[in-house]
Amino acid sequence: MIAEAGLAALWFAAALALLQLAMAGLGLWLKQDELIAAVRPVAIVQGLLAALSFGLLVTLFLQSDMSVLLVATNSHSAKPLLYKFAGAWGNHEGSMLLWVTVLALAGAAIGLIERKLDRATLTATLGAQAFIAIGFYAFLLTASNPFARLSPAAADGMGLNPLLQDPGLAFHPPTLYFGYVGLSIAFSFAVGAMVTREVGPVFARAMRPWVLAAWVFLTIGITAGSYWAYYELGWGGWWFWDPVENASLMPWLAATALLHSVNVLAARDGLRAWTLMLAVVVFSMSMVGTFLVRSGILTSVHAFAVDPTRGSFILVLLAIYIGGALVLYGARVGRVKAGQGFDLLSREGGLVLNNLLLSVILGIVLIGTLYPILAQAMGQQLSVGPPFFNKAAGPIALALVAAMMVGPLLKWRRDDANALLGKITVPVAVSAVTMALTFVIAGSIGWMELVGLGLAAGLAVASFAPVWKRNPLRTPMFTWGMMVAHFGVAVSLAGMAADSAFTSERLVAARYGQPYYVGPYRVVLNGVAPTIGENWSAVEGRVTASRGPVDGPMILLRPQRRFYSSPPTDTAEAAIATRVDGQLYAVLGTQDAEGRWQLRLWWKPFVTLIWFGGGLIALGGALSLIGRVRRARRNVKRWEEAW
Amino acid sequence: MTRWKLWLPLIAFMALLGLVGSRLIVPPDTQVKSALVGKPLPEFALPGIVQGKPGLTRADLATGKPRLLNVFASWCVPCIAEAPQLMKLKAAGAQIDAVAIRDTPEAVTAFLSRHGDPYTRIGDDAQRVVQIGIGSSGVPETFVIDGQGRIAAQHIGDIRDDDVPKLLAALAAAK
């Protein structure tokens, strides 16, 4: 009964989305106030029904109801409770239902709390949101029904991909989805504004918190995903430029650009057409990402739920939504007034530079990701890997960081070159000194690593400038947010550069009791023993590591090779010891004929800064969001009276 | 901004759609093609594996007459499936030489007596040196070699009934 109820709720939600679109469209066209007034409640009920449907799917997974096809193929009764729960979205159908649920709930949230937009634009926005939702409802109901029954019921399920059995990954997809789908709101706002031609500061201020919120989730999702890949795949790297990773990075780059350009529109009424364009691009990138991951036209280590039929369906949705928005853009933006002008040397100019650099990086990632498809179309087979991305995107990312040192110090509209030089003396000096010291101490490291470390130090100092000598209580919360986020970028960059420049790696055929050396550590494999977990068995290496004197304190590392029975898979579980100045990372391989164990060891100085910085970036975004929302609330009363 | 520029994003997007759409319609070719098609065979000399039948060297394959080079093994099930088609090709006048991959004389002799022997020469490629050298990734595979000892075409997998005329045409074309 639960499955049928879930399916019914999904059908009702789809019907309401259709109604929402019709009422918004007709209401605006015929200027019928009654129709327009009903759009908000319909959006709210639609969100609730979608949430109900998803809740029922989760219930089915928690009950291990093996008469439901999706549960039987993706869960197992012996699975730990957390993964039964996560199993609900660790598959194609469930994740699409989660996607549409977040979409509908976002629409409901707009209906419930949005107070800044004028009535017509809000109605058009909700119409656009319903229009997007309809496509995904149709996808679920016709091509990937999550509630399909299995008759006769299975005796037990087939389990969840063991790689996904990790607490980090259980919550990784929902976080990313909140980000991806949150960006659909920016898209709907842009469509709404293009329909009513109300593109100005009010629109930008209304859109900004939604973009911020989506961006915070996306940042957390990418950071967590990167750490997951780092410790779960056992390859010792934190970013692989894999198509699936790029699928999450591209919307983040676009959203970061949008976040900054929307500030220009909100504060100075500039960059109107560009901001609209970015809002369309942002959502396009999250849909292109979904498409690439689901269609199987790119090969990826993470690829799952690969199916060309589903790919075609998403491609059609992509064509309708993005194509439609771009047609609207071409037809309408010409008549949107250009907005205010500004000097080249100004905060606006800095933000334009930021946008250009981010767009170039986005273009590089997009081209690099799609190039194998283009080459294939021309009859060549190739893949584009880290060397291309690092070489092409790295220098531009460094230029972006250099721009970040200067940008926040600029004044709106126009600034004075001499005043600016005065303000950036300290950060530039810090950068130069850091580079010189690193060069003296470390000697020959790559120029990108050297410049990266220098810029990280300079940016870390510069990011404090906007709050320097200000009364901390009177400094707006979003200024603090910007400071924290920019400081986070510096921290992350320092981690990346340090990892890339100073990592030491060893691959040894280890004999018991024999010492091997990696970085400052002396590592000994003392033995390998079998061990067992909730739904896996493993062989576990007992590795001790010490630095400094031989009788110094020991770290015990336990890297494992795990065997999961359902489905039969083996995984390598890396053992990682975190210290203040870095991580020691050990992976156990196979045993050779002479009884030696393959042991891969890394010493990664300051690698944790990468994810710590990512966390700070997200925290900065959250602080800004709180600041914006608090300030906006003061103005809400006026708007409520107008409604 | 001039009006037409506003349509550039749409045009770029349509190009992108066309590109990925074409890939959906024509699914990716997952077979590994030899990069050596059109190039001369590498130098090699393989001993014979079956009594009374000579081994194979590069010089044997550059005698001015186009021929087929079949990569096979007695332990390979699709090779059994393609044996009748090889006999048909031989009957149609094709000269077929072979490379036996990781095989033993007894097993190959038994295989040929059971499924027919279309081969003029068979080289014993126990270490897969020639197989890797000519860009073959599995068994069976069949190469069309022209009179100068160049690889004219590559057929991956077993030869089916409808592949026979194609291979004969490729042989005729590889003068």
Side-chain angles (χ1 to χ4, degrees):
Chain A
M1 266 315 283
I2 295 177
E4 283 68 31
L7 189 60
L10 196 60
W11 274 105
F12 277 122
L16 282 182
L18 213 55
L19 183 67
Q20 184 179 331
L21 175 65
M23 289 197 307
L26 285 176
L28 285 176
W29 188 35
L30 304 172
K31 301 206 163 43
Q32 288 287 318
D33 276 356
E34 294 84 353
L35 282 177
I36 290 177
V39 170
R40 292 178 99 151
V42 170
I44 294 165
V45 178
Q46 185 216 327
L48 293 177
L49 279 170
L52 174 66
S53 177
F54 184 70
L56 291 174
L57 183 71
V58 172
T59 312
L60 289 171
F61 268 87
L62 291 180
Q63 294 180 345
S64 294
D65 185 339
M66 295 303 165
S67 70
V68 175
L69 180 64
L70 193 65
V71 181
T73 47
N74 290 286
S75 193
H76 192 279
S77 56
K79 195 176 277 301
L81 189 66
L82 173 66
Y83 301 123
K84 283 187 187 171
F85 188 60
W89 58 77
N91 58 76
H92 167 77
E93 283 82 359
S95 65
M96 285 324 269
L97 183 58
L98 175 63
W99 171 288
V100 84
T101 300
V102 178
L103 191 72
L105 282 175
I110 302 174
L112 209 55
I113 60 181
E114 183 55 52
R115 291 286 182 276
K116 276 171 255 172
L117 276 185
D118 67 279
R119 212 170 142 105
T121 309
L122 178 62
T123 307
T125 300
L126 285 174
Q129 191 78 7
F131 189 43
I132 301 173
I134 289 166
F136 285 93
Y137 284 126
F139 187 31
L140 277 165
L141 292 170
T142 62
S144 23
N145 174 14
F147 296 104
R149 288 281 189 186
L150 178 66
S151 180
D156 209 333
M158 304 202 301
L160 173 76
N161 181 349
L163 278 181
L164 305 180
Q165 292 193 28
D166 177 88
L169 207 70
F171 293 102
H172 173 56
T175 317
L176 271 182
Y177 275 21
F178 277 112
Y180 275 176
V181 181
L183 296 176
S184 76
I185 305 182
F187 177 83
S188 298
F189 268 79
V191 171
M194 284 192 280
V195 169
T196 60
R197 296 197 188 90
E198 292 292 336
V199 187
V202 175
F203 154 74
R205 282 181 210 128
M207 181 163 85
R208 183 161 54 190
W210 300 99
V211 178
L212 254 174
W215 182 83
V216 168
F217 278 114
L218 214 50
T219 308
I220 296 173
I222 292 175
T223 307
S226 158
Y227 193 64
W228 168 78
Y230 171 78
Y231 75 76
E232 182 68 29
L233 295 181
W235 297 348
W238 52 273
W239 193 262
F240 301 101
W241 296 106
D242 178 273
V244 173
E245 291 177 337
N246 292 348
S248 67
L249 180 65
M250 289 190 288
W252 185 85
L253 289 167
T256 310
L258 176 62
L259 201 59
H260 291 87
S261 82
V262 92
N263 279 330
V264 178
L265 185 55
R268 299 285 316 148
D269 197 11
L271 301 185
R272 287 179 166 187
W274 175 246
T275 303
L276 286 178
M277 186 72 245
L278 271 181
V280 174
V281 167
V282 156
F283 184 58
S284 310
M285 285 304 142
S286 51
M287 278 203 56
V288 167
T290 313
F291 167 75
L292 289 179
V293 176
R294 299 302 162 114
S295 64
I297 65 170
L298 285 176
T299 39
S300 152
V301 289
H302 301 72
F304 63 108
V306 160
D307 178 350
T309 332
R310 289 168 182 166
S312 320
F313 207 118
I314 301 178
L315 191 67
V316 170
L317 294 185
L318 204 80
I320 296 173
Y321 296 138
I322 312 301
L326 291 174
V327 167
L328 200 59
Y329 180 85
R332 286 293 172 98
V333 163
R335 269 171 271 169
V336 169
K337 274 192 288 171
Q340 304 288 324
F342 48 83
D343 268 21
L344 205 56
L345 189 65
S346 63
R347 179 75 74 86
E348 291 97 320
L351 289 168
V352 168
L353 180 64
N354 144 306
N355 268 241
L356 287 177
L357 291 170
L358 281 166
S359 306
V360 173
I361 299 175
L362 175 61
I364 290 170
V365 178
L366 184 65
I367 290 169
T369 308
L370 294 178
Y371 191 73
I373 305 178
L374 188 68
Q376 177 86 22
M378 295 176 179
Q380 247 187 338
Q381 210 147 29
L382 54 82
S383 62
V384 177
F388 164 78
F389 289 107
N390 290 342
K391 268 194 199 119
I396 297 168
L398 291 178
L400 181 63
V401 175
M404 284 173 70
M405 283 167 53
V406 183
L409 306 175
L410 290 164
K411 288 193 187 116
W412 288 109
R413 264 186 67 209
R414 62 188 307 175
D415 206 337
D416 176 56
N418 288 329
L420 181 65
L421 281 177
K423 279 187 274 191
I424 62 169
T425 317
V426 176
V428 169
V430 168
S431 279
V433 169
T434 308
M435 274 188 255
L437 280 178
T438 312
F439 188 74
V440 169
I441 296 168
S444 58
I445 60 172
W447 73 267
M448 281 221 280
E449 286 83 357
L450 191 67
V451 173
L453 284 170
L455 286 178
L459 177 61
V461 175
S463 57
F464 283 95
V467 294
W468 184 248
K469 286 186 187 164
R470 276 176 83 160
N471 180 341
L473 293 175
R474 304 211 38 199
T475 306
M477 186 84 118
F478 44 79
T479 307
W480 283 106
M482 177 185 77
M483 188 219 106
V484 172
H486 283 196
F487 184 69
V489 173
V491 170
S492 228
L493 175 65
M496 293 172 196
D499 174 56
S500 166
F502 305 122
T503 290
S504 23
E505 178 181 356
R506 288 224 39 200
L507 175 62
V508 294
R511 290 184 196 285
Y512 296 140
Q514 184 165 343
Y516 301 96
Y517 296 89
V518 58
Y521 280 92
R522 179 177 181 276
V523 181
V524 180
L525 176 67
N526 292 312
V528 172
T531 176
I532 196 158
E534 216 167 336
N535 57 349
W536 46 265
S537 61
V539 289
E540 187 177 84
R542 300 290 155 85
V543 178
T544 50
S546 57
R547 68 202 283 185
V550 178
D551 54 348
M554 292 280 196
I555 314 168
L556 178 62
L557 291 166
R558 297 176 165 186
Q560 296 175 340
R561 293 198 68 79
R562 279 191 192 171
F563 310 104
Y564 287 83
S565 54
S566 62
T569 321
D570 40 338
T571 64
E573 299 290 312
I576 300 175
T578 305
R579 290 292 173 269
V580 181
D581 57 344
Q583 288 186 327
L584 183 64
Y585 187 117
V587 178
L588 188 67
T590 47
Q591 195 174 21
D592 68 10
E594 294 166 48
R596 298 178 302 183
W597 286 89
Q598 201 183 61
L599 189 62
R600 195 178 274 275
L601 302 164
W602 278 278
W603 165 246
K604 298 181 147 291
F606 299 106
V607 67
T608 36
L609 292 183
I610 297 173
W611 306 290
F612 181 61
L616 281 178
I617 297 171
L619 174 68
L623 288 177
S624 290
L625 180 63
I626 295 166
R628 295 291 181 201
V629 171
R630 277 217 304 216
R631 173 167 285 200
R633 204 174 276 169
R634 282 179 233 149
N635 303 327
V636 158
K637 266 216 168 119
R638 259 187 295 155
W639 286 98
E640 270 179 335
E641 278 153 20
W643 267 77
Chain B
M1 205 191 298
T2 42
R3 197 50 78 72
W4 66 270
K5 278 189 192 152
L6 295 175
W7 297 95
L8 283 181
L10 183 65
I11 295 163
F13 177 68
M14 301 298 277
L16 177 70
L17 272 190
L19 178 65
V20 294
S22 69
R23 267 302 293 276
L24 273 184
I25 296 159
V26 186
D29 184 4
T30 51
Q31 284 187 326
V32 181
K33 285 246 163 64
S34 168
L36 298 171
V37 172
K39 304 221 170 100
L41 285 166
E43 204 59 56
F44 66 87
L46 293 177
I49 191 167
V50 181
Q51 271 227 309
K53 211 179 265 288
L56 193 65
T57 66
R58 188 194 181 284
D60 297 329
L61 295 168
T63 56
K65 188 183 175 215
R67 62 188 73 213
L68 295 177
L69 176 59
N70 183 235
V71 179
F72 85 108
S74 64
W75 43 263
C76 137
V77 178
C79 296
I80 300 171
E82 79 168 3
Q85 277 69 250
L86 284 171
M87 294 307 284
K88 267 185 229 168
L89 283 164
K90 192 194 177 202
Q95 185 173 345
I96 308 173
D97 296 310
V99 175
I101 306 299
R102 283 163 47 191
D103 229 321
T104 61
E106 300 78 41
V108 176
T109 310
F111 179 88
L112 294 180
S113 65
R114 188 170 307 152
H115 304 292
D117 180 1
Y119 304 123
T120 315
R121 293 161 177 276
I122 304 177
D124 178 9
D125 192 9
Q127 303 300 320
R128 302 182 60 208
V129 176
V130 172
Q131 187 189 22
I132 290 165
I134 60 178
S136 154
S137 56
V139 278
E141 274 185 37
T142 307
F143 291 83
V144 179
I145 312 290
D146 72 4
Q148 283 77 51
R150 282 189 301 253
I151 300 172
Q154 180 188 21
H155 178 90
I156 296 173
D158 56 318
I159 300 170
R160 309 267 167 92
D161 248 344
D162 47 346
D163 295 323
V164 172
K166 284 184 212 160
L167 281 170
L168 287 173
L171 264 182
K175 278 296 169 215

